[in-house]
Amino acid sequence: MHWPAVCENREGGTGNRGRGGSGEMHPPFRIAVLGAQGVGKTAIVQRFLRDDYSETPVPGHSRKVHLSAAVLNGHVHDLQITDYPAITSFPGSTLQEWTDSCCRGIRSAHVYILVYDICCFDSFEYVKTMRQQILETRVLGTAEVPILIVGNKRDLQRGRCIPRHNVSDLVRKTWKCGYVECSAKFNWHVLLLFGEALRSVGCARCKHIHATIRFQRALRRERCALM
């Protein structure tokens, strides 16, 4: 499945930002992207935002906050996509979250995208641990937050360490999470995975089972903050 992407200059006017046809304001969707070092999560984010890919590894010692937008069921929503470095553990409290600058804002995300390398077993173990910690430490009293598991580097599937159906069954049937495989290098299923992430949040918010999504990608002046 593929949703058309509509480009937009983020430096333009903001008079209609986050508004539907009725003028109703919609808060931004906060998306947290997590994964072990070298799984390609930053490459996925850059492919989605700029349709760009580089073989050069990006040092990941700080979080990067990107702004984009999506049209969900006729309403424009801001997207705040935060690319987190490989954190050692999910912060168990707000104090821990704001003490470590790499983790700021992570506990208030609306959806988590957990990325692993299909050729690296340890990266899947990282995702497994991170998912469990998210479930155990999110703020009490909040609704269950959607988690999407993403297997990157599908173009290297001959080196896959765990059979796809084993992972899919575990994630979908046991963990009750969404599962997508993609290739940031060849731009395969990158748009799909962000669509699935937005659907999981949109359905929970708007109670629309079949959400219609159009993405508004950033252009050259995409807003990005290194935190």
Side-chain angles (χ1 to χ4, degrees), residues 123-141:
S123 70
F124 184 74
E125 288 296 302
Y126 179 95
V127 161
K128 184 188 297 184
T129 300
M130 199 57 55
R131 169 194 165 270
Q132 188 61 38
Q133 291 178 355
I134 290 171
L135 296 179
E136 291 174 352
T137 61
R138 274 296 299 255
V139 180
L140 294 176

Side-chain angles (χ1 to χ4, degrees), residues 64-80:
K64 300 177 180 66
V65 182
H66 306 269
L67 299 181
S68 187
V71 180
L72 176 62
N73 291 322
H75 299 284
V76 178
H77 295 265
D78 280 323
L79 305 182
Q80 179 179 299

Side-chain angles (χ1 to χ4, degrees), residues 33-46 60 83-86 115 152:
V33 185
L34 299 164
Q37 187 71 31
V39 298
K41 57 185 177 57
T42 298
I44 290 173
V45 173
Q46 293 303 320
D83 178 9
Y84 288 93
V115 183
N152 189 31

Side-chain angles (χ1 to χ4, degrees), residues 102-115:
C102 291
C103 293
R104 290 176 184 171
I106 198 170
R107 288 170 56 83
S108 61
H110 293 119
V111 58
Y112 294 94
I113 297 177
L114 305 185
V115 183

Side-chain angles (χ1 to χ4, degrees), residues 6-222:
V6 180
C7 291
E8 175 200 39
N9 191 333
R10 297 293 304 182
E11 297 298 313
T14 58
N16 294 320
R17 176 67 47 221
R19 297 179 181 271
S22 62
E24 179 184 358
M25 289 296 295
H26 295 274
F29 288 119
R30 294 189 294 274
I31 302 172
V33 185
L34 299 164
Q37 187 71 31
V39 298
K41 57 185 177 57
T42 298
I44 290 173
V45 173
Q46 293 303 320
R47 177 65 84 178
F48 171 69
L49 291 172
R50 304 175 186 168
D51 194 19
D52 182 43
Y53 177 81
S54 173
E55 296 279 1
T56 305
V58 179
H61 302 295
S62 61
R63 67 188 180 105
K64 300 177 180 66
V65 182
H66 306 269
L67 299 181
S68 187
V71 180
L72 176 62
N73 291 322
H75 299 284
V76 178
H77 295 265
D78 280 323
L79 305 182
Q80 179 179 299
I81 303 170
T82 305
D83 178 9
Y84 288 93
I87 58 177
T88 55
S89 62
F90 193 86
S93 67
T94 302
L95 177 60
Q96 292 179 9
E97 174 187 14
W98 290 94
T99 299
D100 185 349
S101 61
C102 291
C103 293
R104 290 176 184 171
I106 198 170
R107 288 170 56 83
S108 61
H110 293 119
V111 58
Y112 294 94
I113 297 177
L114 305 185
V115 183
Y116 78 99
D117 176 351
I118 66 170
C119 301
C120 178
F121 180 79
D122 287 345
S123 70
F124 184 74
E125 288 296 302
Y126 179 95
V127 161
K128 184 188 297 184
T129 300
M130 199 57 55
R131 169 194 165 270
Q132 188 61 38
Q133 291 178 355
I134 290 171
L135 296 179
E136 291 174 352
T137 61
R138 274 296 299 255
V139 180
L140 294 176
T142 59
E144 184 173 325
V145 65
I147 297 175
L148 179 67
I149 308 299
V150 173
N152 189 31
K153 304 187 182 180
R154 178 62 186 272
D155 50 291
L156 302 177
Q157 63 175 332
R158 290 186 178 181
R160 181 190 296 274
C161 61
I162 310 174
R164 184 183 187 280
H165 69 273
N166 289 2
V167 178
S168 180
D169 284 351
L170 173 66
V171 171
R172 291 193 171 113
K173 296 180 180 179
T174 303
W175 294 358
K176 308 299 182 185
C177 297
Y179 182 67
V180 176
E181 290 194 353
C182 73
S183 168
K185 182 175 183 178
F186 292 103
N187 198 17
W188 187 75
H189 280 186
V190 173
L191 197 60
L192 173 75
L193 77 87
F194 279 96
E196 289 298 316
L198 265 291
R199 282 180 186 275
S200 66
V201 181
C203 291
R205 281 190 180 185
C206 308
K207 295 183 172 57
H208 290 305
I209 297 176
H210 301 291
T212 300
I213 300 172
R214 289 190 303 130
F215 287 115
Q216 294 181 307
R217 284 178 173 155
L219 292 179
R220 294 184 298 273
R221 296 183 178 180
E222 170 232 346

